[in-house]
Amino acid sequence: MSSVSAYYNGKNVLITGATGFMGKVLVEKLLRSSPEVKAVYILVRPKAGQSMQERVANMLKCKVFDRVREDCPNFHEKIKPINAELCQPKLAISAEDEEELLTRVNIVFHCAATVRFDEPLKHALQLNTMGTQRLLELARQMQNLEAFIHISTAYANCIRKSIDEIIYPPPAEPKKLFDLVEWLDESIIQDITPKLLGEWPNTYTYSKALSEYVIQQEKGNLNIAIIRPSIVGASWHEPFPGWIDSFNGTSGILIAAGKGILRTVIANNEAVADMIPVDITVNLTLAAGWYTAVHRPKNILVYNCTTGGINPFFWGEMRQYAISTFKRNPLEKAFRTPGAQITSSYLINQYWVYLTDKAWAILYDLYMRLTGRKPRMMKIVKRLHKSMMLLQYFSTQSWNWSSDNMNMLMSHLNTEDKKVYNFDVRQLHWSEYIESYCLGAKKYLLNEDMSGIPAAKQHLRNQRNIRYAFNITLFVIIWRIFIARSQMARNIWYFVVSLCYKFLSYFRASSTLRH
Ligand SMILES: CCCCCCCCCCCCCCCC(=O)SCCNC(=O)CCNC(=O)[C@H](O)C(C)(C)COP(=O)(O)OP(=O)(O)OC[C@H]1O[C@@H](n2cnc3c(N)ncnc32)[C@H](O)[C@@H]1OP(=O)(O)O
Ligand SMILES: NC(=O)C1=CN([C@@H]2O[C@H](COP(=O)(O)OP(=O)(O)OC[C@H]3O[C@@H](n4cnc5c(N)ncnc54)[C@H](OP(=O)(O)O)[C@@H]3O)[C@@H](O)[C@H]2O)C=CC1
């Protein structure tokens, strides 16, 4: 029997960010591997005109729950949604709900965050840092709390090249920053953001670094662990290989390369692509929850949840495996043949952006306009390049993360735990994983059926023929215009034609002589 599964049976678990990519996988795994868990409280806010109840009902219809739906058809009865907003005082939880949480919850998993790199500093701090502080305050009052698990990011300390499993000094004193963003005008905060960020590349990593420090400062008597995943990708095995529902991180770029929209990616072929499958992250998180609650380590344990130091994999390899998968299994209605160059040079990138991506987008949009449809390709290309500009910090450098705590945790698992909560990244076979990632993106993110592959291949062949025909026509037109206007071009043209003629005559004569 798995000790980790047994531990969660009978427990009340609180999860924030359950509607997100990682949160859903966490809820699913918890319910499937510990079917006797008493209740899973999830903090959910109303959003985009949908009430909290509607959002939860939609969430439970998600494909990610198909497996647990089959194993335990009444799994939804265990889920107890709580209306909450992390940016509001006291998390905007009603007094009645608060009372229930304070008396019942045994373990907290804090996943909620904004992961946008361009989030205004005020909002990133209000949600990622102050939201964590508020949750911590609630947790300190919980009467039966055994563990508090905070999901951070391996890049919270990305200004360092070697990152240990410790909490580093913060970029600034959080209290002072909170006061500042409270009373300063939003536009002034925007203006001074680059100065405040200093070496940090974005407000996301900055606010996450501050959250870790806030946890250290305000932990009180809580048993806390911090999980730091690197770039979370599609699932490796669970609940299905390749499950993904987010365009963040590498997913959007992979799809854009697969669709032939993006011809150039800013990355370094030799830099480590520190990908970590979402199910590995979730397995480690649940195992760390068990360890923290049962073994109660004296200090906060930080788990760097990364692959680079143990089973390294590089962006160049990722490109190769992804393009090969998309050539064999094309995406539907691809714009061009799958393919993307990797370059770390800004100038080379700009050259390709203008020469291929933007030029083709303009032509495509013109075609859409002429056929009475809405042009959209330029907008997509611009968004992708904006996203690439924000991601390049992570795709052109490598970091060294120590993983002693991950190894220590593995050594405490029994044989069954190691099977059910596998987070041994040495077992990852990267070419297989990337293939399943790309196919998962096709199936779960783009909702494409695998039976459409022959049609997608035919579409690519048609696209290629149109491109050839277009290139030839363009060449002939340009050349004709050039010849008509310039004596020199005419002279070159006649010279090339006569040279070709002479060569042909020479070969014909020499072959006649040989016979
Ligand atoms: C083959 C070669 C491989 C090499 C490949 C190298 C890749 C190198 C990756 C390094 C990766 C490091 C990752 C660090 C790991 C973390 O610790 S953090 C977690 C990851 N966080 C992120 O990735 C957040 C980055 N994203 C952002 O900051 C914002 O989405 C952006 C990029 C600024 C775009 O902002 P925006 O223009 O306002 O657009 P946004 O509102 O976000 O999205 C609008 C729509 O476009 C969709 N969308 C957004 N981005 C995309 C996209 N890229 N594609 C398609 N659709 C998209 C959204 O889903 C959304 O759809 P709807 O909801 O409207 O249906
Ligand atoms: N994805 C990645 O590559 C990595 C992620 N991480 C960390 O993992 C965690 C989960 O990330 P991921 O699942 O990818 O992110 P998602 O963006 O998919 O999910 C974020 C979750 O936070 C919730 N949330 C956002 N704002 C609020 C709010 N104001 N009040 C309540 N809930 C809110 C969202 O709810 P709603 O549906 O209402 O928006 C959603 O459930 C984060 O802490 C992130 O920093 C770390 C490393 C890499």
Side-chain angles (χ1 to χ4, degrees):
M1 172 71 180
S2 154
S3 322
V4 181
S5 296
Y7 168 74
Y8 289 107
N9 282 330
K11 293 287 193 295
N12 291 300
V13 181
L14 172 68
I15 300 179
T16 70
T19 50
F21 168 48
M22 204 188 293
K24 285 202 283 282
V25 180
L26 178 62
V27 171
E28 195 276 343
K29 175 79 189 210
L30 184 60
L31 289 164
R32 188 161 44 83
S33 49
S34 299
E36 298 305 318
V37 62
K38 204 162 180 187
V40 179
Y41 290 96
I42 58 173
L43 299 193
V44 184
R45 56 180 173 166
K47 193 175 158 187
Q50 282 191 314
S51 69
M52 180 267 285
Q53 288 83 356
E54 285 169 330
R55 294 197 65 207
V56 175
N58 283 339
M59 169 191 151
L60 296 181
K61 282 186 206 146
C62 178
K63 178 137 185 72
V64 73
F65 294 105
D66 280 4
R67 209 170 142 189
V68 65
R69 212 185 326 272
E70 217 173 281
D71 293 358
C72 346
N74 294 331
F75 79 100
H76 58 276
E77 288 168 6
K78 303 271 168 129
I79 297 181
K80 313 267 183 225
I82 303 279
N83 215 326
E85 164 57 73
L86 265 86
C87 294
Q88 294 293 320
K90 298 196 90 188
L91 309 175
I93 299 178
S94 73
E96 196 186 325
D97 285 341
E98 189 185 80
E99 183 56 27
E100 184 165 347
L101 295 179
L102 293 185
T103 49
R104 302 227 172 130
V105 171
N106 306 113
I107 307 110
V108 174
F109 290 102
H110 178 34
C111 292
T114 167
V115 300
R116 290 183 71 99
F117 293 157
D118 63 344
E119 194 70 72
L121 182 63
K122 183 170 182 159
H123 188 242
L125 286 176
Q126 275 175 342
L127 176 55
N128 294 354
T129 318
M130 293 156 95
T132 302
Q133 192 183 37
R134 291 187 192 105
L135 187 70
L136 213 53
E137 197 183 324
L138 184 77
R140 281 198 308 266
Q141 300 167 54
M142 290 177 178
Q143 292 141 28
N144 298 304
L145 192 69
E146 295 167 16
F148 182 104
I149 311 300
H150 171 73
I151 312 296
S152 182
T153 160
Y155 297 102
N157 301 288
C158 57
I159 58 160
R160 296 165 191 276
K161 279 287 163 215
S162 289
I163 300 166
D164 287 326
E165 291 168 305
I166 56 169
I167 297 172
Y168 287 98
E173 183 51 49
K175 176 109 192 26
K176 286 189 185 148
L177 270 176
F178 297 164
D179 290 344
L180 201 73
V181 296
E182 211 61 53
W183 64 264
L184 260 188
D185 190 70
E186 191 121 16
S187 64
I188 301 177
I189 303 175
Q190 288 281 43
D191 289 346
I192 61 168
T193 296
K195 274 252 169 316
L196 289 172
L197 293 188
E199 286 179 84
W200 264 266
N202 53 47
T203 54
Y204 168 66
T205 48
Y206 184 80
S207 58
K208 285 294 226 182
L210 282 160
S211 322
E212 290 193 356
Y213 181 71
V214 163
I215 290 175
Q216 189 185 45
Q217 292 298 299
E218 304 187 14
K219 77 184 262 291
N221 293 325
L222 299 179
N223 293 311
I224 299 192
I226 294 178
I227 315 293
R228 287 189 190 143
S230 44
I231 305 169
V232 181
S235 60
W236 181 30
H237 291 310
E238 291 182 278
F240 323 102
W243 189 80
I244 177 99
D245 81 340
S246 160
F247 282 100
N248 283 334
T250 41
S251 309
I253 304 291
L254 279 180
I255 288 178
K259 284 257 184 197
I261 300 175
L262 203 66
R263 274 285 184 260
T264 170
V265 172
I266 304 191
N268 183 339
N269 276 311
E270 283 87 41
V272 173
D274 210 298
M275 301 286 303
I276 186 94
V278 63
D279 46 345
I280 291 195
T281 310
V282 162
N283 287 346
L284 177 89
T285 302
L286 286 168
W290 158 79
Y291 185 83
T292 311
V294 172
H295 293 270
R296 302 185 174 241
K298 269 202 212 88
N299 298 316
I300 296 178
L301 282 191
V302 177
Y303 298 87
N304 284 342
C305 181
T306 58
T307 50
I310 306 165
N311 183 1
F313 168 61
F314 304 90
W315 291 113
E317 290 177 274
M318 168 125 164
R319 190 204 78 89
Q320 187 196 331
Y321 300 148
I323 299 303
S324 145
T325 305
F326 284 129
K327 280 193 173 154
R328 282 177 282 117
N329 309 277
L331 299 177
E332 285 171 18
K333 297 190 191 126
F335 184 53
R336 286 176 292 186
T337 318
Q341 317 243 9
I342 282 192
T343 172
S344 49
S345 153
Y346 176 78
L347 281 179
I348 294 176
N349 174 261
Q350 286 300 304
Y351 171 78
W352 285 110
V353 168
Y354 283 98
L355 197 77
T356 66
D357 299 355
K358 288 198 174 166
W360 275 104
I362 290 171
L363 288 172
Y364 186 80
D365 282 352
L366 186 70
Y367 162 74
M368 295 295 269
R369 261 183 231 279
L370 291 175
T371 51
R373 282 172 287 175
K374 205 174 158 212
R376 60 193 170 91
M377 196 49 78
M378 197 58 177
K379 201 172 148 203
I380 296 177
V381 166
K382 279 189 179 158
R383 175 176 291 152
L384 283 165
H385 286 288
K386 174 181 166 193
S387 135
M388 204 61 248
M389 287 301 139
L390 294 168
L391 295 175
Q392 61 170 312
Y393 179 90
F394 306 95
S395 56
T396 52
Q397 306 184 59
S398 299
W399 284 264
N400 298 313
W401 286 278
S402 59
S403 42
D404 297 342
N405 286 340
M406 193 154 109
N407 294 333
M408 176 283 294
L409 182 59
M410 211 177 312
S411 71
H412 278 82
L413 298 184
N414 67 30
T415 317
E416 187 62 13
D417 287 329
K418 283 185 184 151
K419 256 194 246 156
V420 182
Y421 299 91
N422 186 3
F423 53 85
D424 185 356
V425 298
R426 285 169 302 190
Q427 295 171 19
L428 265 168
H429 198 291
W430 288 110
S431 63
E432 282 168 17
Y433 173 67
I434 295 300
E435 173 156 347
S436 122
Y437 190 161
C438 295
L439 297 181
K442 179 176 169 65
K443 281 190 274 188
Y444 307 118
L445 205 46
L446 301 178
N447 289 318
E448 293 184 8
D449 205 290
M450 296 303 275
S451 62
I453 287 181
K457 283 187 176 165
Q458 183 56 45
H459 174 81
L460 273 188
R461 279 194 290 272
N462 295 346
Q463 294 286 88
R464 191 197 50 200
N465 294 342
I466 292 172
R467 208 173 56 251
Y468 284 163
F470 177 83
N471 285 347
I472 291 168
T473 317
L474 192 70
F475 177 77
V476 170
I477 292 172
I478 292 176
W479 190 237
R480 288 300 306 159
I481 294 171
F482 213 50
I483 284 182
R485 293 186 176 204
S486 150
Q487 180 61 46
M488 192 174 348
R490 261 199 303 276
N491 290 345
I492 294 173
W493 176 244
Y494 292 137
F495 175 72
V496 172
V497 170
S498 70
L499 210 63
C500 291
Y501 182 74
K502 276 182 193 152
F503 262 113
L504 271 177
S505 316
Y506 170 77
F507 280 120
R508 210 180 297 150
S510 61
S511 68
T512 326
L513 277 179
R514 252 186 268 131
H515 290 109

mmCIF file of all heavy atoms in Angstrom, residues 154-185:
data_model
loop_
_atom_site.group_PDB
_atom_site.id
_atom_site.type_symbol
_atom_site.label_atom_id
_atom_site.label_comp_id
_atom_site.label_asym_id
_atom_site.label_seq_id
_atom_site.Cartn_x
_atom_site.Cartn_y
_atom_site.Cartn_z
ATOM 1 N N ALA A 154 11.153 27.492 -10.239
ATOM 2 C CA ALA A 154 12.612 27.326 -10.214
ATOM 3 C C ALA A 154 13.302 28.620 -10.635
ATOM 4 O O ALA A 154 14.484 28.821 -10.364
ATOM 5 C CB ALA A 154 13.006 26.187 -11.149
ATOM 6 N N TYR A 155 12.529 29.510 -11.316
ATOM 7 C CA TYR A 155 13.120 30.760 -11.810
ATOM 8 C C TYR A 155 12.928 31.928 -10.838
ATOM 9 O O TYR A 155 13.219 33.068 -11.193
ATOM 10 C CB TYR A 155 12.536 31.105 -13.183
ATOM 11 C CG TYR A 155 12.872 30.056 -14.217
ATOM 12 C CD1 TYR A 155 11.948 29.107 -14.615
ATOM 13 C CD2 TYR A 155 14.155 30.000 -14.767
ATOM 14 C CE1 TYR A 155 12.273 28.125 -15.542
ATOM 15 C CE2 TYR A 155 14.489 29.025 -15.691
ATOM 16 C CZ TYR A 155 13.539 28.095 -16.069
ATOM 17 O OH TYR A 155 13.880 27.123 -16.981
ATOM 18 N N ALA A 156 12.429 31.637 -9.639
ATOM 19 C CA ALA A 156 12.242 32.723 -8.670
ATOM 20 C C ALA A 156 13.593 33.395 -8.378
ATOM 21 O O ALA A 156 13.639 34.589 -8.077
ATOM 22 C CB ALA A 156 11.632 32.178 -7.387
ATOM 23 N N ASN A 157 14.674 32.622 -8.482
ATOM 24 C CA ASN A 157 16.006 33.185 -8.204
ATOM 25 C C ASN A 157 16.871 33.137 -9.457
ATOM 26 O O ASN A 157 18.074 32.854 -9.387
ATOM 27 C CB ASN A 157 16.656 32.402 -7.067
ATOM 28 C CG ASN A 157 15.810 32.469 -5.815
ATOM 29 O OD1 ASN A 157 15.744 33.512 -5.180
ATOM 30 N ND2 ASN A 157 15.117 31.389 -5.495
ATOM 31 N N CYS A 158 16.243 33.433 -10.611
ATOM 32 C CA CYS A 158 16.943 33.251 -11.886
ATOM 33 C C CYS A 158 18.091 34.237 -12.103
ATOM 34 O O CYS A 158 18.826 34.108 -13.076
ATOM 35 C CB CYS A 158 15.951 33.329 -13.044
ATOM 36 S SG CYS A 158 15.029 34.866 -13.057
ATOM 37 N N ILE A 159 18.268 35.178 -11.179
ATOM 38 C CA ILE A 159 19.416 36.085 -11.332
ATOM 39 C C ILE A 159 20.697 35.363 -10.890
ATOM 40 O O ILE A 159 21.792 35.861 -11.073
ATOM 41 C CB ILE A 159 19.234 37.386 -10.525
ATOM 42 C CG1 ILE A 159 19.022 37.075 -9.048
ATOM 43 C CG2 ILE A 159 18.074 38.207 -11.061
ATOM 44 C CD1 ILE A 159 19.320 38.260 -8.165
ATOM 45 N N ARG A 160 20.551 34.172 -10.285
ATOM 46 C CA ARG A 160 21.715 33.363 -9.911
ATOM 47 C C ARG A 160 21.859 32.235 -10.914
ATOM 48 O O ARG A 160 20.866 31.753 -11.424
ATOM 49 C CB ARG A 160 21.521 32.724 -8.530
ATOM 50 C CG ARG A 160 21.414 33.726 -7.454
ATOM 51 C CD ARG A 160 20.862 33.111 -6.181
ATOM 52 N NE ARG A 160 20.530 34.193 -5.265
ATOM 53 C CZ ARG A 160 21.414 34.764 -4.465
ATOM 54 N NH1 ARG A 160 22.650 34.298 -4.403
ATOM 55 N NH2 ARG A 160 21.062 35.777 -3.706
ATOM 56 N N LYS A 161 23.094 31.783 -11.112
ATOM 57 C CA LYS A 161 23.319 30.695 -12.073
ATOM 58 C C LYS A 161 23.197 29.333 -11.384
ATOM 59 O O LYS A 161 22.783 28.351 -11.982
ATOM 60 C CB LYS A 161 24.701 30.841 -12.724
ATOM 61 C CG LYS A 161 24.703 31.847 -13.848
ATOM 62 C CD LYS A 161 23.982 31.254 -15.064
ATOM 63 C CE LYS A 161 23.596 32.321 -16.043
ATOM 64 N NZ LYS A 161 22.349 32.070 -16.709
ATOM 65 N N SER A 162 23.636 29.274 -10.113
ATOM 66 C CA SER A 162 23.520 28.025 -9.346
ATOM 67 C C SER A 162 22.522 28.254 -8.235
ATOM 68 O O SER A 162 22.690 29.179 -7.431
ATOM 69 C CB SER A 162 24.863 27.648 -8.737
ATOM 70 O OG SER A 162 25.709 27.230 -9.758
ATOM 71 N N ILE A 163 21.483 27.437 -8.219
ATOM 72 C CA ILE A 163 20.391 27.691 -7.281
ATOM 73 C C ILE A 163 20.224 26.506 -6.340
ATOM 74 O O ILE A 163 19.911 25.389 -6.765
ATOM 75 C CB ILE A 163 19.086 27.996 -8.060
ATOM 76 C CG1 ILE A 163 19.315 29.235 -8.947
ATOM 77 C CG2 ILE A 163 17.913 28.222 -7.106
ATOM 78 C CD1 ILE A 163 18.267 29.474 -9.994
ATOM 79 N N ASP A 164 20.466 26.755 -5.066
ATOM 80 C CA ASP A 164 20.329 25.699 -4.061
ATOM 81 C C ASP A 164 18.906 25.651 -3.533
ATOM 82 O O ASP A 164 18.102 26.544 -3.795
ATOM 83 C CB ASP A 164 21.304 25.955 -2.909
ATOM 84 C CG ASP A 164 22.735 25.663 -3.342
ATOM 85 O OD1 ASP A 164 22.916 24.742 -4.162
ATOM 86 O OD2 ASP A 164 23.649 26.369 -2.890
ATOM 87 N N GLU A 165 18.656 24.628 -2.727
ATOM 88 C CA GLU A 165 17.295 24.483 -2.184
ATOM 89 C C GLU A 165 17.176 25.266 -0.873
ATOM 90 O O GLU A 165 16.930 24.691 0.195
ATOM 91 C CB GLU A 165 16.967 22.995 -2.034
ATOM 92 C CG GLU A 165 16.832 22.346 -3.415
ATOM 93 C CD GLU A 165 16.785 20.848 -3.381
ATOM 94 O OE1 GLU A 165 17.720 20.235 -2.820
ATOM 95 O OE2 GLU A 165 15.827 20.268 -3.909
ATOM 96 N N ILE A 166 17.389 26.565 -1.003
ATOM 97 C CA ILE A 166 17.280 27.459 0.153
ATOM 98 C C ILE A 166 16.487 28.695 -0.268
ATOM 99 O O ILE A 166 16.327 28.945 -1.460
ATOM 100 C CB ILE A 166 18.675 27.910 0.678
ATOM 101 C CG1 ILE A 166 19.483 28.567 -0.466
ATOM 102 C CG2 ILE A 166 19.438 26.767 1.292
ATOM 103 C CD1 ILE A 166 20.735 29.278 0.012
ATOM 104 N N ILE A 167 16.027 29.446 0.716
ATOM 105 C CA ILE A 167 15.324 30.697 0.396
ATOM 106 C C ILE A 167 16.360 31.816 0.413
ATOM 107 O O ILE A 167 17.057 32.018 1.411
ATOM 108 C CB ILE A 167 14.188 30.963 1.397
ATOM 109 C CG1 ILE A 167 13.164 29.824 1.279
ATOM 110 C CG2 ILE A 167 13.524 32.318 1.129
ATOM 111 C CD1 ILE A 167 12.081 29.838 2.315
ATOM 112 N N TYR A 168 16.467 32.508 -0.715
ATOM 113 C CA TYR A 168 17.482 33.558 -0.844
ATOM 114 C C TYR A 168 16.924 34.894 -0.348
ATOM 115 O O TYR A 168 15.706 35.074 -0.270
ATOM 116 C CB TYR A 168 17.899 33.687 -2.312
ATOM 117 C CG TYR A 168 18.757 32.525 -2.771
ATOM 118 C CD1 TYR A 168 18.193 31.450 -3.471
ATOM 119 C CD2 TYR A 168 20.119 32.481 -2.495
ATOM 120 C CE1 TYR A 168 18.962 30.378 -3.886
ATOM 121 C CE2 TYR A 168 20.902 31.412 -2.907
ATOM 122 C CZ TYR A 168 20.316 30.361 -3.599
ATOM 123 O OH TYR A 168 21.084 29.302 -4.001
ATOM 124 N N PRO A 169 17.824 35.839 -0.044
ATOM 125 C CA PRO A 169 17.340 37.164 0.356
ATOM 126 C C PRO A 169 16.464 37.753 -0.742
ATOM 127 O O PRO A 169 16.691 37.501 -1.927
ATOM 128 C CB PRO A 169 18.628 37.985 0.515
ATOM 129 C CG PRO A 169 19.715 36.990 0.645
ATOM 130 C CD PRO A 169 19.287 35.744 -0.057
ATOM 131 N N PRO A 170 15.451 38.510 -0.360
ATOM 132 C CA PRO A 170 14.489 39.014 -1.362
ATOM 133 C C PRO A 170 15.072 40.176 -2.154
ATOM 134 O O PRO A 170 16.014 40.835 -1.700
ATOM 135 C CB PRO A 170 13.338 39.516 -0.498
ATOM 136 C CG PRO A 170 14.004 39.947 0.766
ATOM 137 C CD PRO A 170 15.166 39.039 0.984
ATOM 138 N N PRO A 171 14.484 40.458 -3.331
ATOM 139 C CA PRO A 171 14.963 41.595 -4.121
ATOM 140 C C PRO A 171 14.703 42.932 -3.432
ATOM 141 O O PRO A 171 15.382 43.919 -3.706
ATOM 142 C CB PRO A 171 14.162 41.505 -5.422
ATOM 143 C CG PRO A 171 13.060 40.529 -5.190
ATOM 144 C CD PRO A 171 13.438 39.680 -4.025
ATOM 145 N N ALA A 172 13.713 42.983 -2.542
ATOM 146 C CA ALA A 172 13.409 44.216 -1.812
ATOM 147 C C ALA A 172 12.652 43.830 -0.554
ATOM 148 O O ALA A 172 12.203 42.686 -0.423
ATOM 149 C CB ALA A 172 12.537 45.126 -2.669
ATOM 150 N N GLU A 173 12.525 44.755 0.368
ATOM 151 C CA GLU A 173 11.783 44.476 1.591
ATOM 152 C C GLU A 173 10.285 44.441 1.253
ATOM 153 O O GLU A 173 9.711 45.468 0.858
ATOM 154 C CB GLU A 173 12.105 45.559 2.626
ATOM 155 C CG GLU A 173 11.453 45.371 3.976
ATOM 156 C CD GLU A 173 11.657 43.977 4.574
ATOM 157 O OE1 GLU A 173 12.809 43.480 4.610
ATOM 158 O OE2 GLU A 173 10.637 43.384 4.976
ATOM 159 N N PRO A 174 9.610 43.274 1.367
ATOM 160 C CA PRO A 174 8.222 43.176 0.916
ATOM 161 C C PRO A 174 7.304 44.230 1.516
ATOM 162 O O PRO A 174 6.504 44.840 0.821
ATOM 163 C CB PRO A 174 7.803 41.772 1.358
ATOM 164 C CG PRO A 174 9.063 41.033 1.525
ATOM 165 C CD PRO A 174 10.117 42.004 1.873
ATOM 166 N N LYS A 175 7.457 44.476 2.817
ATOM 167 C CA LYS A 175 6.534 45.407 3.487
ATOM 168 C C LYS A 175 6.577 46.783 2.815
ATOM 169 O O LYS A 175 5.548 47.401 2.568
ATOM 170 C CB LYS A 175 6.940 45.475 4.975
ATOM 171 C CG LYS A 175 6.193 46.420 5.814
ATOM 172 C CD LYS A 175 5.259 45.713 6.787
ATOM 173 C CE LYS A 175 4.262 46.595 7.481
ATOM 174 N NZ LYS A 175 3.863 47.817 6.834
ATOM 175 N N LYS A 176 7.819 47.230 2.512
ATOM 176 C CA LYS A 176 7.968 48.549 1.876
ATOM 177 C C LYS A 176 7.296 48.566 0.500
ATOM 178 O O LYS A 176 6.651 49.537 0.119
ATOM 179 C CB LYS A 176 9.449 48.900 1.727
ATOM 180 C CG LYS A 176 10.102 49.277 3.035
ATOM 181 C CD LYS A 176 11.486 49.831 2.795
ATOM 182 C CE LYS A 176 12.158 50.076 4.140
ATOM 183 N NZ LYS A 176 13.578 49.899 4.089
ATOM 184 N N LEU A 177 7.477 47.457 -0.220
ATOM 185 C CA LEU A 177 6.873 47.377 -1.562
ATOM 186 C C LEU A 177 5.352 47.385 -1.484
ATOM 187 O O LEU A 177 4.680 48.038 -2.272
ATOM 188 C CB LEU A 177 7.307 46.087 -2.249
ATOM 189 C CG LEU A 177 8.575 46.135 -3.072
ATOM 190 C CD1 LEU A 177 8.891 44.754 -3.600
ATOM 191 C CD2 LEU A 177 8.410 47.096 -4.244
ATOM 192 N N PHE A 178 4.823 46.632 -0.524
ATOM 193 C CA PHE A 178 3.363 46.575 -0.376
ATOM 194 C C PHE A 178 2.815 47.978 -0.118
ATOM 195 O O PHE A 178 1.812 48.382 -0.696
ATOM 196 C CB PHE A 178 2.945 45.651 0.777
ATOM 197 C CG PHE A 178 3.339 44.205 0.583
ATOM 198 C CD1 PHE A 178 3.338 43.316 1.656
ATOM 199 C CD2 PHE A 178 3.701 43.724 -0.670
ATOM 200 C CE1 PHE A 178 3.702 41.990 1.478
ATOM 201 C CE2 PHE A 178 4.065 42.399 -0.851
ATOM 202 C CZ PHE A 178 4.074 41.530 0.223
ATOM 203 N N ASP A 179 3.501 48.727 0.772
ATOM 204 C CA ASP A 179 3.060 50.097 1.063
ATOM 205 C C ASP A 179 3.105 50.949 -0.197
ATOM 206 O O ASP A 179 2.179 51.690 -0.497
ATOM 207 C CB ASP A 179 3.968 50.742 2.121
ATOM 208 C CG ASP A 179 3.740 50.103 3.480
ATOM 209 O OD1 ASP A 179 2.700 49.428 3.630
ATOM 210 O OD2 ASP A 179 4.601 50.256 4.364
ATOM 211 N N LEU A 180 4.205 50.768 -0.934
ATOM 212 C CA LEU A 180 4.411 51.571 -2.147
ATOM 213 C C LEU A 180 3.288 51.341 -3.161
ATOM 214 O O LEU A 180 2.687 52.293 -3.658
ATOM 215 C CB LEU A 180 5.750 51.143 -2.762
ATOM 216 C CG LEU A 180 6.428 52.096 -3.708
ATOM 217 C CD1 LEU A 180 7.018 53.254 -2.941
ATOM 218 C CD2 LEU A 180 7.547 51.364 -4.456
ATOM 219 N N VAL A 181 3.011 50.071 -3.447
ATOM 220 C CA VAL A 181 1.984 49.798 -4.471
ATOM 221 C C VAL A 181 0.574 50.146 -3.971
ATOM 222 O O VAL A 181 -0.335 50.349 -4.747
ATOM 223 C CB VAL A 181 2.011 48.341 -5.002
ATOM 224 C CG1 VAL A 181 3.291 48.051 -5.719
ATOM 225 C CG2 VAL A 181 1.755 47.333 -3.901
ATOM 226 N N GLU A 182 0.441 50.234 -2.658
ATOM 227 C CA GLU A 182 -0.859 50.572 -2.081
ATOM 228 C C GLU A 182 -1.224 52.025 -2.368
ATOM 229 O O GLU A 182 -2.340 52.320 -2.773
ATOM 230 C CB GLU A 182 -0.790 50.346 -0.561
ATOM 231 C CG GLU A 182 -2.082 49.939 0.110
ATOM 232 C CD GLU A 182 -2.625 48.615 -0.419
ATOM 233 O OE1 GLU A 182 -1.905 47.592 -0.437
ATOM 234 O OE2 GLU A 182 -3.786 48.636 -0.834
ATOM 235 N N TRP A 183 -0.263 52.932 -2.199
ATOM 236 C CA TRP A 183 -0.622 54.353 -2.335
ATOM 237 C C TRP A 183 -0.137 55.008 -3.617
ATOM 238 O O TRP A 183 -0.670 56.029 -4.029
ATOM 239 C CB TRP A 183 -0.189 55.162 -1.106
ATOM 240 C CG TRP A 183 1.308 55.221 -0.863
ATOM 241 C CD1 TRP A 183 2.023 54.415 -0.031
ATOM 242 C CD2 TRP A 183 2.237 56.143 -1.430
ATOM 243 N NE1 TRP A 183 3.360 54.744 -0.050
ATOM 244 C CE2 TRP A 183 3.519 55.819 -0.908
ATOM 245 C CE3 TRP A 183 2.153 57.203 -2.341
ATOM 246 C CZ2 TRP A 183 4.681 56.499 -1.252
ATOM 247 C CZ3 TRP A 183 3.325 57.883 -2.675
ATOM 248 C CH2 TRP A 183 4.561 57.528 -2.136
ATOM 249 N N LEU A 184 0.850 54.406 -4.317
ATOM 250 C CA LEU A 184 1.337 55.061 -5.540
ATOM 251 C C LEU A 184 0.364 54.870 -6.700
ATOM 252 O O LEU A 184 -0.274 53.817 -6.810
ATOM 253 C CB LEU A 184 2.680 54.470 -5.948
ATOM 254 C CG LEU A 184 3.945 55.245 -5.587
ATOM 255 C CD1 LEU A 184 5.153 54.590 -6.245
ATOM 256 C CD2 LEU A 184 3.864 56.704 -5.993
ATOM 257 N N ASP A 185 0.311 55.854 -7.549
ATOM 258 C CA ASP A 185 -0.536 55.780 -8.729
ATOM 259 C C ASP A 185 -0.027 54.663 -9.657
ATOM 260 O O ASP A 185 1.193 54.474 -9.800
ATOM 261 C CB ASP A 185 -0.467 57.141 -9.442
ATOM 262 C CG ASP A 185 -1.489 57.236 -10.526
ATOM 263 O OD1 ASP A 185 -2.673 57.312 -10.181
ATOM 264 O OD2 ASP A 185 -1.092 57.190 -11.708
#
